[in-house]
PDB file of all heavy atoms in Angstrom:
ATOM      1  N   ASP A   1      -8.048  -0.440  18.841  1.00 97.00           N
ATOM      2  CA  ASP A   1      -6.922  -1.238  19.321  1.00 97.00           C
ATOM      3  C   ASP A   1      -5.718  -1.063  18.404  1.00 97.00           C
ATOM      4  O   ASP A   1      -4.581  -0.998  18.863  1.00 97.00           O
ATOM      5  CB  ASP A   1      -7.297  -2.721  19.388  1.00 97.00           C
ATOM      6  CG  ASP A   1      -8.336  -3.011  20.457  1.00 97.00           C
ATOM      7  OD1 ASP A   1      -8.369  -2.278  21.460  1.00 97.00           O
ATOM      8  OD2 ASP A   1      -9.117  -3.964  20.276  1.00 97.00           O
ATOM      9  N   ARG A   2      -5.994  -0.995  17.089  1.00 97.00           N
ATOM     10  CA  ARG A   2      -4.937  -0.819  16.105  1.00 97.00           C
ATOM     11  C   ARG A   2      -5.464   0.026  14.946  1.00 97.00           C
ATOM     12  O   ARG A   2      -6.674   0.036  14.685  1.00 97.00           O
ATOM     13  CB  ARG A   2      -4.459  -2.166  15.536  1.00 97.00           C
ATOM     14  CG  ARG A   2      -3.805  -3.084  16.537  1.00 97.00           C
ATOM     15  CD  ARG A   2      -3.192  -4.288  15.856  1.00 97.00           C
ATOM     16  NE  ARG A   2      -2.127  -3.922  14.930  1.00 97.00           N
ATOM     17  CZ  ARG A   2      -0.897  -3.575  15.301  1.00 97.00           C
ATOM     18  NH1 ARG A   2      -0.580  -3.541  16.574  1.00 97.00           N
ATOM     19  NH2 ARG A   2       0.020  -3.265  14.400  1.00 97.00           N
ATOM     20  N   VAL A   3      -4.559   0.728  14.288  1.00 98.00           N
ATOM     21  CA  VAL A   3      -4.907   1.431  13.056  1.00 98.00           C
ATOM     22  C   VAL A   3      -4.014   0.882  11.942  1.00 98.00           C
ATOM     23  O   VAL A   3      -2.963   0.281  12.198  1.00 98.00           O
ATOM     24  CB  VAL A   3      -4.742   2.956  13.192  1.00 98.00           C
ATOM     25  CG1 VAL A   3      -5.751   3.508  14.181  1.00 98.00           C
ATOM     26  CG2 VAL A   3      -3.320   3.336  13.607  1.00 98.00           C
ATOM     27  N   HIS A   4      -4.440   1.107  10.697  1.00 98.00           N
ATOM     28  CA  HIS A   4      -3.776   0.510   9.545  1.00 98.00           C
ATOM     29  C   HIS A   4      -3.573   1.578   8.467  1.00 98.00           C
ATOM     30  O   HIS A   4      -4.341   2.548   8.393  1.00 98.00           O
ATOM     31  CB  HIS A   4      -4.603  -0.647   9.005  1.00 98.00           C
ATOM     32  CG  HIS A   4      -4.924  -1.686  10.042  1.00 98.00           C
ATOM     33  ND1 HIS A   4      -4.041  -2.670  10.396  1.00 98.00           N
ATOM     34  CD2 HIS A   4      -6.037  -1.857  10.822  1.00 98.00           C
ATOM     35  CE1 HIS A   4      -4.583  -3.422  11.345  1.00 98.00           C
ATOM     36  NE2 HIS A   4      -5.791  -2.959  11.617  1.00 98.00           N
ATOM     37  N   PRO A   5      -2.588   1.405   7.598  1.00 98.00           N
ATOM     38  CA  PRO A   5      -2.301   2.436   6.596  1.00 98.00           C
ATOM     39  C   PRO A   5      -3.168   2.331   5.344  1.00 98.00           C
ATOM     40  O   PRO A   5      -3.357   1.250   4.785  1.00 98.00           O
ATOM     41  CB  PRO A   5      -0.829   2.170   6.251  1.00 98.00           C
ATOM     42  CG  PRO A   5      -0.668   0.689   6.458  1.00 98.00           C
ATOM     43  CD  PRO A   5      -1.574   0.338   7.619  1.00 98.00           C
ATOM     44  N   SER A   6      -3.680   3.467   4.921  1.00 97.00           N
ATOM     45  CA  SER A   6      -4.324   3.614   3.621  1.00 97.00           C
ATOM     46  C   SER A   6      -3.450   4.613   2.870  1.00 97.00           C
ATOM     47  O   SER A   6      -3.355   5.783   3.271  1.00 97.00           O
ATOM     48  CB  SER A   6      -5.756   4.120   3.773  1.00 97.00           C
ATOM     49  OG  SER A   6      -6.419   4.150   2.537  1.00 97.00           O
ATOM     50  N   PHE A   7      -2.792   4.178   1.803  1.00 97.00           N
ATOM     51  CA  PHE A   7      -1.706   4.979   1.246  1.00 97.00           C
ATOM     52  C   PHE A   7      -1.753   5.046  -0.281  1.00 97.00           C
ATOM     53  O   PHE A   7      -2.339   4.183  -0.941  1.00 97.00           O
ATOM     54  CB  PHE A   7      -0.350   4.423   1.691  1.00 97.00           C
ATOM     55  CG  PHE A   7      -0.124   2.959   1.372  1.00 97.00           C
ATOM     56  CD1 PHE A   7       0.541   2.574   0.234  1.00 97.00           C
ATOM     57  CD2 PHE A   7      -0.574   1.975   2.242  1.00 97.00           C
ATOM     58  CE1 PHE A   7       0.759   1.239  -0.064  1.00 97.00           C
ATOM     59  CE2 PHE A   7      -0.362   0.624   1.972  1.00 97.00           C
ATOM     60  CZ  PHE A   7       0.303   0.250   0.816  1.00 97.00           C
ATOM     61  N   THR A   8      -1.132   6.078  -0.805  1.00 96.00           N
ATOM     62  CA  THR A   8      -1.059   6.266  -2.246  1.00 96.00           C
ATOM     63  C   THR A   8       0.154   5.525  -2.800  1.00 96.00           C
ATOM     64  O   THR A   8       1.165   5.332  -2.110  1.00 96.00           O
ATOM     65  CB  THR A   8      -0.942   7.756  -2.611  1.00 96.00           C
ATOM     66  OG1 THR A   8       0.256   8.293  -2.026  1.00 96.00           O
ATOM     67  CG2 THR A   8      -2.137   8.531  -2.117  1.00 96.00           C
ATOM     68  N   GLU A   9       0.041   5.128  -4.078  1.00 95.00           N
ATOM     69  CA  GLU A   9       1.170   4.513  -4.766  1.00 95.00           C
ATOM     70  C   GLU A   9       1.071   4.849  -6.244  1.00 95.00           C
ATOM     71  O   GLU A   9       0.007   4.714  -6.848  1.00 95.00           O
ATOM     72  CB  GLU A   9       1.171   2.998  -4.562  1.00 95.00           C
ATOM     73  CG  GLU A   9       2.336   2.303  -5.258  1.00 95.00           C
ATOM     74  CD  GLU A   9       2.368   0.811  -4.989  1.00 95.00           C
ATOM     75  OE1 GLU A   9       2.928   0.410  -3.961  1.00 95.00           O
ATOM     76  OE2 GLU A   9       1.808   0.050  -5.806  1.00 95.00           O
ATOM     77  N   MET A  10       2.168   5.289  -6.811  1.00 92.00           N
ATOM     78  CA  MET A  10       2.180   5.644  -8.231  1.00 92.00           C
ATOM     79  C   MET A  10       1.999   4.399  -9.085  1.00 92.00           C
ATOM     80  O   MET A  10       2.448   3.297  -8.739  1.00 92.00           O
ATOM     81  CB  MET A  10       3.487   6.332  -8.602  1.00 92.00           C
ATOM     82  CG  MET A  10       3.652   7.716  -7.998  1.00 92.00           C
ATOM     83  SD  MET A  10       2.350   8.886  -8.503  1.00 92.00           S
ATOM     84  CE  MET A  10       2.666   9.012 -10.271  1.00 92.00           C
ATOM     85  N   SER A  11       1.356   4.590 -10.220  1.00 82.00           N
ATOM     86  CA  SER A  11       1.169   3.500 -11.170  1.00 82.00           C
ATOM     87  C   SER A  11       2.520   3.003 -11.673  1.00 82.00           C
ATOM     88  O   SER A  11       3.469   3.777 -11.839  1.00 82.00           O
ATOM     89  CB  SER A  11       0.336   3.984 -12.368  1.00 82.00           C
ATOM     90  OG  SER A  11       0.306   3.008 -13.380  1.00 82.00           O
ATOM     91  N   ARG A  12       2.621   1.701 -11.881  1.00 79.00           N
ATOM     92  CA  ARG A  12       3.863   1.114 -12.404  1.00 79.00           C
ATOM     93  C   ARG A  12       3.933   1.207 -13.930  1.00 79.00           C
ATOM     94  O   ARG A  12       4.928   0.827 -14.531  1.00 79.00           O
ATOM     95  CB  ARG A  12       3.976  -0.340 -11.946  1.00 79.00           C
ATOM     96  CG  ARG A  12       4.008  -0.465 -10.418  1.00 79.00           C
ATOM     97  CD  ARG A  12       4.184  -1.898  -9.970  1.00 79.00           C
ATOM     98  NE  ARG A  12       4.024  -2.037  -8.536  1.00 79.00           N
ATOM     99  CZ  ARG A  12       4.969  -1.788  -7.644  1.00 79.00           C
ATOM    100  NH1 ARG A  12       6.149  -1.385  -8.053  1.00 79.00           N
ATOM    101  NH2 ARG A  12       4.738  -1.944  -6.354  1.00 79.00           N
ATOM    102  N   ASP A  13       2.860   1.704 -14.542  1.00 74.00           N
ATOM    103  CA  ASP A  13       2.820   1.897 -15.993  1.00 74.00           C
ATOM    104  C   ASP A  13       3.563   3.188 -16.332  1.00 74.00           C
ATOM    105  O   ASP A  13       3.213   4.265 -15.847  1.00 74.00           O
ATOM    106  CB  ASP A  13       1.357   1.978 -16.460  1.00 74.00           C
ATOM    107  CG  ASP A  13       1.233   2.053 -17.978  1.00 74.00           C
ATOM    108  OD1 ASP A  13       2.231   2.376 -18.644  1.00 74.00           O
ATOM    109  OD2 ASP A  13       0.122   1.818 -18.477  1.00 74.00           O
ATOM    110  N   SER A  14       4.585   3.086 -17.156  1.00 68.00           N
ATOM    111  CA  SER A  14       5.416   4.253 -17.471  1.00 68.00           C
ATOM    112  C   SER A  14       4.636   5.341 -18.196  1.00 68.00           C
ATOM    113  O   SER A  14       5.064   6.497 -18.228  1.00 68.00           O
ATOM    114  CB  SER A  14       6.619   3.824 -18.313  1.00 68.00           C
ATOM    115  OG  SER A  14       6.192   3.223 -19.533  1.00 68.00           O
ATOM    116  N   ASP A  15       3.497   4.989 -18.796  1.00 79.00           N
ATOM    117  CA  ASP A  15       2.695   5.979 -19.517  1.00 79.00           C
ATOM    118  C   ASP A  15       1.612   6.601 -18.629  1.00 79.00           C
ATOM    119  O   ASP A  15       0.810   7.403 -19.106  1.00 79.00           O
ATOM    120  CB  ASP A  15       2.029   5.324 -20.734  1.00 79.00           C
ATOM    121  CG  ASP A  15       3.051   4.855 -21.764  1.00 79.00           C
ATOM    122  OD1 ASP A  15       4.090   5.531 -21.894  1.00 79.00           O
ATOM    123  OD2 ASP A  15       2.812   3.817 -22.406  1.00 79.00           O
ATOM    124  N   ASP A  16       1.576   6.232 -17.371  1.00 84.00           N
ATOM    125  CA  ASP A  16       0.509   6.670 -16.471  1.00 84.00           C
ATOM    126  C   ASP A  16       1.121   7.456 -15.317  1.00 84.00           C
ATOM    127  O   ASP A  16       1.959   6.945 -14.577  1.00 84.00           O
ATOM    128  CB  ASP A  16      -0.235   5.432 -15.936  1.00 84.00           C
ATOM    129  CG  ASP A  16      -1.502   5.793 -15.170  1.00 84.00           C
ATOM    130  OD1 ASP A  16      -1.707   6.994 -14.892  1.00 84.00           O
ATOM    131  OD2 ASP A  16      -2.272   4.875 -14.844  1.00 84.00           O
ATOM    132  N   ASP A  17       0.715   8.731 -15.181  1.00 90.00           N
ATOM    133  CA  ASP A  17       1.243   9.539 -14.085  1.00 90.00           C
ATOM    134  C   ASP A  17       0.246   9.661 -12.941  1.00 90.00           C
ATOM    135  O   ASP A  17       0.330  10.583 -12.127  1.00 90.00           O
ATOM    136  CB  ASP A  17       1.648  10.930 -14.583  1.00 90.00           C
ATOM    137  CG  ASP A  17       0.468  11.709 -15.170  1.00 90.00           C
ATOM    138  OD1 ASP A  17      -0.658  11.163 -15.220  1.00 90.00           O
ATOM    139  OD2 ASP A  17       0.673  12.875 -15.566  1.00 90.00           O
ATOM    140  N   LEU A  18      -0.695   8.721 -12.840  1.00 93.00           N
ATOM    141  CA  LEU A  18      -1.701   8.737 -11.794  1.00 93.00           C
ATOM    142  C   LEU A  18      -1.328   7.753 -10.678  1.00 93.00           C
ATOM    143  O   LEU A  18      -0.515   6.859 -10.862  1.00 93.00           O
ATOM    144  CB  LEU A  18      -3.075   8.372 -12.371  1.00 93.00           C
ATOM    145  CG  LEU A  18      -3.600   9.318 -13.452  1.00 93.00           C
ATOM    146  CD1 LEU A  18      -4.898   8.774 -14.040  1.00 93.00           C
ATOM    147  CD2 LEU A  18      -3.803  10.725 -12.895  1.00 93.00           C
ATOM    148  N   PHE A  19      -1.941   7.949  -9.518  1.00 95.00           N
ATOM    149  CA  PHE A  19      -1.686   7.061  -8.395  1.00 95.00           C
ATOM    150  C   PHE A  19      -2.944   6.260  -8.078  1.00 95.00           C
ATOM    151  O   PHE A  19      -4.052   6.608  -8.493  1.00 95.00           O
ATOM    152  CB  PHE A  19      -1.255   7.856  -7.151  1.00 95.00           C
ATOM    153  CG  PHE A  19      -2.345   8.723  -6.563  1.00 95.00           C
ATOM    154  CD1 PHE A  19      -3.243   8.209  -5.629  1.00 95.00           C
ATOM    155  CD2 PHE A  19      -2.467  10.053  -6.931  1.00 95.00           C
ATOM    156  CE1 PHE A  19      -4.241   9.006  -5.088  1.00 95.00           C
ATOM    157  CE2 PHE A  19      -3.471  10.857  -6.402  1.00 95.00           C
ATOM    158  CZ  PHE A  19      -4.355  10.333  -5.478  1.00 95.00           C
ATOM    159  N   LYS A  20      -2.757   5.191  -7.323  1.00 94.00           N
ATOM    160  CA  LYS A  20      -3.894   4.450  -6.790  1.00 94.00           C
ATOM    161  C   LYS A  20      -3.804   4.439  -5.269  1.00 94.00           C
ATOM    162  O   LYS A  20      -2.735   4.703  -4.688  1.00 94.00           O
ATOM    163  CB  LYS A  20      -3.946   3.026  -7.348  1.00 94.00           C
ATOM    164  CG  LYS A  20      -2.729   2.171  -7.115  1.00 94.00           C
ATOM    165  CD  LYS A  20      -2.894   0.816  -7.827  1.00 94.00           C
ATOM    166  CE  LYS A  20      -1.645  -0.036  -7.736  1.00 94.00           C
ATOM    167  NZ  LYS A  20      -1.810  -1.325  -8.461  1.00 94.00           N
ATOM    168  N   LEU A  21      -4.923   4.161  -4.647  1.00 96.00           N
ATOM    169  CA  LEU A  21      -5.022   4.153  -3.192  1.00 96.00           C
ATOM    170  C   LEU A  21      -5.094   2.705  -2.722  1.00 96.00           C
ATOM    171  O   LEU A  21      -5.975   1.949  -3.128  1.00 96.00           O
ATOM    172  CB  LEU A  21      -6.267   4.915  -2.744  1.00 96.00           C
ATOM    173  CG  LEU A  21      -6.461   5.106  -1.241  1.00 96.00           C
ATOM    174  CD1 LEU A  21      -5.379   6.022  -0.692  1.00 96.00           C
ATOM    175  CD2 LEU A  21      -7.840   5.688  -0.956  1.00 96.00           C
ATOM    176  N   LEU A  22      -4.145   2.323  -1.879  1.00 96.00           N
ATOM    177  CA  LEU A  22      -4.072   0.965  -1.357  1.00 96.00           C
ATOM    178  C   LEU A  22      -4.310   0.966   0.143  1.00 96.00           C
ATOM    179  O   LEU A  22      -3.929   1.911   0.840  1.00 96.00           O
ATOM    180  CB  LEU A  22      -2.697   0.350  -1.627  1.00 96.00           C
ATOM    181  CG  LEU A  22      -2.201   0.319  -3.071  1.00 96.00           C
ATOM    182  CD1 LEU A  22      -0.794  -0.267  -3.123  1.00 96.00           C
ATOM    183  CD2 LEU A  22      -3.138  -0.500  -3.945  1.00 96.00           C
ATOM    184  N   THR A  23      -4.931  -0.073   0.637  1.00 97.00           N
ATOM    185  CA  THR A  23      -5.121  -0.253   2.071  1.00 97.00           C
ATOM    186  C   THR A  23      -4.641  -1.643   2.444  1.00 97.00           C
ATOM    187  O   THR A  23      -5.109  -2.637   1.881  1.00 97.00           O
ATOM    188  CB  THR A  23      -6.601  -0.081   2.462  1.00 97.00           C
ATOM    189  OG1 THR A  23      -7.035   1.236   2.084  1.00 97.00           O
ATOM    190  CG2 THR A  23      -6.781  -0.251   3.960  1.00 97.00           C
ATOM    191  N   VAL A  24      -3.687  -1.697   3.361  1.00 97.00           N
ATOM    192  CA  VAL A  24      -3.089  -2.965   3.780  1.00 97.00           C
ATOM    193  C   VAL A  24      -3.015  -2.972   5.300  1.00 97.00           C
ATOM    194  O   VAL A  24      -2.526  -2.012   5.904  1.00 97.00           O
ATOM    195  CB  VAL A  24      -1.678  -3.145   3.185  1.00 97.00           C
ATOM    196  CG1 VAL A  24      -1.083  -4.489   3.616  1.00 97.00           C
ATOM    197  CG2 VAL A  24      -1.710  -3.032   1.665  1.00 97.00           C
ATOM    198  N   GLU A  25      -3.474  -4.030   5.920  1.00 96.00           N
ATOM    199  CA  GLU A  25      -3.459  -4.096   7.380  1.00 96.00           C
ATOM    200  C   GLU A  25      -2.063  -4.447   7.891  1.00 96.00           C
ATOM    201  O   GLU A  25      -1.312  -5.171   7.254  1.00 96.00           O
ATOM    202  CB  GLU A  25      -4.495  -5.099   7.882  1.00 96.00           C
ATOM    203  CG  GLU A  25      -5.916  -4.710   7.495  1.00 96.00           C
ATOM    204  CD  GLU A  25      -6.960  -5.304   8.425  1.00 96.00           C
ATOM    205  OE1 GLU A  25      -6.599  -6.121   9.293  1.00 96.00           O
ATOM    206  OE2 GLU A  25      -8.141  -4.931   8.269  1.00 96.00           O
ATOM    207  N   VAL A  26      -1.737  -3.892   9.052  1.00 96.00           N
ATOM    208  CA  VAL A  26      -0.471  -4.168   9.723  1.00 96.00           C
ATOM    209  C   VAL A  26      -0.773  -5.008  10.956  1.00 96.00           C
ATOM    210  O   VAL A  26      -1.265  -4.496  11.954  1.00 96.00           O
ATOM    211  CB  VAL A  26       0.248  -2.861  10.125  1.00 96.00           C
ATOM    212  CG1 VAL A  26       1.461  -3.163  10.999  1.00 96.00           C
ATOM    213  CG2 VAL A  26       0.669  -2.087   8.893  1.00 96.00           C
ATOM    214  N   ASN A  27      -0.502  -6.288  10.869  1.00 92.00           N
ATOM    215  CA  ASN A  27      -0.776  -7.190  11.990  1.00 92.00           C
ATOM    216  C   ASN A  27       0.421  -8.060  12.350  1.00 92.00           C
ATOM    217  O   ASN A  27       0.390  -8.752  13.362  1.00 92.00           O
ATOM    218  CB  ASN A  27      -1.965  -8.106  11.655  1.00 92.00           C
ATOM    219  CG  ASN A  27      -3.277  -7.335  11.558  1.00 92.00           C
ATOM    220  OD1 ASN A  27      -3.591  -6.538  12.439  1.00 92.00           O
ATOM    221  ND2 ASN A  27      -4.031  -7.565  10.495  1.00 92.00           N
ATOM    222  N   GLY A  28       1.465  -8.047  11.540  1.00 94.00           N
ATOM    223  CA  GLY A  28       2.619  -8.895  11.792  1.00 94.00           C
ATOM    224  C   GLY A  28       3.912  -8.124  11.697  1.00 94.00           C
ATOM    225  O   GLY A  28       3.997  -6.954  12.075  1.00 94.00           O
ATOM    226  N   SER A  29       4.925  -8.769  11.159  1.00 96.00           N
ATOM    227  CA  SER A  29       6.248  -8.174  11.042  1.00 96.00           C
ATOM    228  C   SER A  29       6.333  -7.246   9.836  1.00 96.00           C
ATOM    229  O   SER A  29       5.420  -7.191   9.001  1.00 96.00           O
ATOM    230  CB  SER A  29       7.299  -9.276  10.899  1.00 96.00           C
ATOM    231  OG  SER A  29       7.133  -9.948   9.656  1.00 96.00           O
ATOM    232  N   MET A  30       7.454  -6.542   9.719  1.00 97.00           N
ATOM    233  CA  MET A  30       7.678  -5.702   8.551  1.00 97.00           C
ATOM    234  C   MET A  30       7.691  -6.536   7.283  1.00 97.00           C
ATOM    235  O   MET A  30       7.121  -6.143   6.257  1.00 97.00           O
ATOM    236  CB  MET A  30       8.990  -4.926   8.693  1.00 97.00           C
ATOM    237  CG  MET A  30       9.300  -4.024   7.512  1.00 97.00           C
ATOM    238  SD  MET A  30      10.876  -3.146   7.646  1.00 97.00           S
ATOM    239  CE  MET A  30      10.517  -1.991   8.975  1.00 97.00           C
ATOM    240  N   ALA A  31       8.326  -7.703   7.339  1.00 96.00           N
ATOM    241  CA  ALA A  31       8.369  -8.581   6.170  1.00 96.00           C
ATOM    242  C   ALA A  31       6.966  -9.019   5.761  1.00 96.00           C
ATOM    243  O   ALA A  31       6.650  -9.080   4.566  1.00 96.00           O
ATOM    244  CB  ALA A  31       9.238  -9.801   6.472  1.00 96.00           C
ATOM    245  N   ASP A  32       6.124  -9.315   6.743  1.00 97.00           N
ATOM    246  CA  ASP A  32       4.735  -9.696   6.460  1.00 97.00           C
ATOM    247  C   ASP A  32       4.007  -8.566   5.751  1.00 97.00           C
ATOM    248  O   ASP A  32       3.269  -8.785   4.784  1.00 97.00           O
ATOM    249  CB  ASP A  32       3.992 -10.052   7.752  1.00 97.00           C
ATOM    250  CG  ASP A  32       4.520 -11.315   8.415  1.00 97.00           C
ATOM    251  OD1 ASP A  32       5.090 -12.166   7.703  1.00 97.00           O
ATOM    252  OD2 ASP A  32       4.374 -11.429   9.648  1.00 97.00           O
ATOM    253  N   PHE A  33       4.206  -7.337   6.259  1.00 98.00           N
ATOM    254  CA  PHE A  33       3.524  -6.189   5.664  1.00 98.00           C
ATOM    255  C   PHE A  33       4.005  -5.938   4.240  1.00 98.00           C
ATOM    256  O   PHE A  33       3.201  -5.685   3.336  1.00 98.00           O
ATOM    257  CB  PHE A  33       3.732  -4.930   6.504  1.00 98.00           C
ATOM    258  CG  PHE A  33       3.185  -3.693   5.840  1.00 98.00           C
ATOM    259  CD1 PHE A  33       1.827  -3.446   5.829  1.00 98.00           C
ATOM    260  CD2 PHE A  33       4.033  -2.808   5.194  1.00 98.00           C
ATOM    261  CE1 PHE A  33       1.310  -2.326   5.182  1.00 98.00           C
ATOM    262  CE2 PHE A  33       3.535  -1.694   4.548  1.00 98.00           C
ATOM    263  CZ  PHE A  33       2.170  -1.457   4.547  1.00 98.00           C
ATOM    264  N   ILE A  34       5.304  -5.995   4.021  1.00 98.00           N
ATOM    265  CA  ILE A  34       5.844  -5.744   2.687  1.00 98.00           C
ATOM    266  C   ILE A  34       5.298  -6.754   1.694  1.00 98.00           C
ATOM    267  O   ILE A  34       4.904  -6.400   0.572  1.00 98.00           O
ATOM    268  CB  ILE A  34       7.386  -5.762   2.727  1.00 98.00           C
ATOM    269  CG1 ILE A  34       7.903  -4.519   3.461  1.00 98.00           C
ATOM    270  CG2 ILE A  34       7.962  -5.824   1.319  1.00 98.00           C
ATOM    271  CD1 ILE A  34       9.398  -4.518   3.698  1.00 98.00           C
ATOM    272  N   GLN A  35       5.236  -8.005   2.088  1.00 97.00           N
ATOM    273  CA  GLN A  35       4.672  -9.027   1.198  1.00 97.00           C
ATOM    274  C   GLN A  35       3.209  -8.745   0.897  1.00 97.00           C
ATOM    275  O   GLN A  35       2.769  -8.822  -0.259  1.00 97.00           O
ATOM    276  CB  GLN A  35       4.818 -10.417   1.825  1.00 97.00           C
ATOM    277  CG  GLN A  35       4.249 -11.534   0.948  1.00 97.00           C
ATOM    278  CD  GLN A  35       4.411 -12.907   1.577  1.00 97.00           C
ATOM    279  OE1 GLN A  35       5.126 -13.076   2.560  1.00 97.00           O
ATOM    280  NE2 GLN A  35       3.732 -13.897   1.011  1.00 97.00           N
ATOM    281  N   ALA A  36       2.433  -8.386   1.937  1.00 97.00           N
ATOM    282  CA  ALA A  36       1.013  -8.093   1.741  1.00 97.00           C
ATOM    283  C   ALA A  36       0.823  -6.861   0.866  1.00 97.00           C
ATOM    284  O   ALA A  36      -0.081  -6.814   0.023  1.00 97.00           O
ATOM    285  CB  ALA A  36       0.331  -7.895   3.093  1.00 97.00           C
TER     286      ALA A  36
END
């Protein structure tokens, strides 16, 4: 019925050049998703 994003994001640590994998469901508005 719906698919959701599983996405990469760079570490916020300035000494770390690695990324992490995040999965967040999209069920509401853009603002809802950004907050989640």
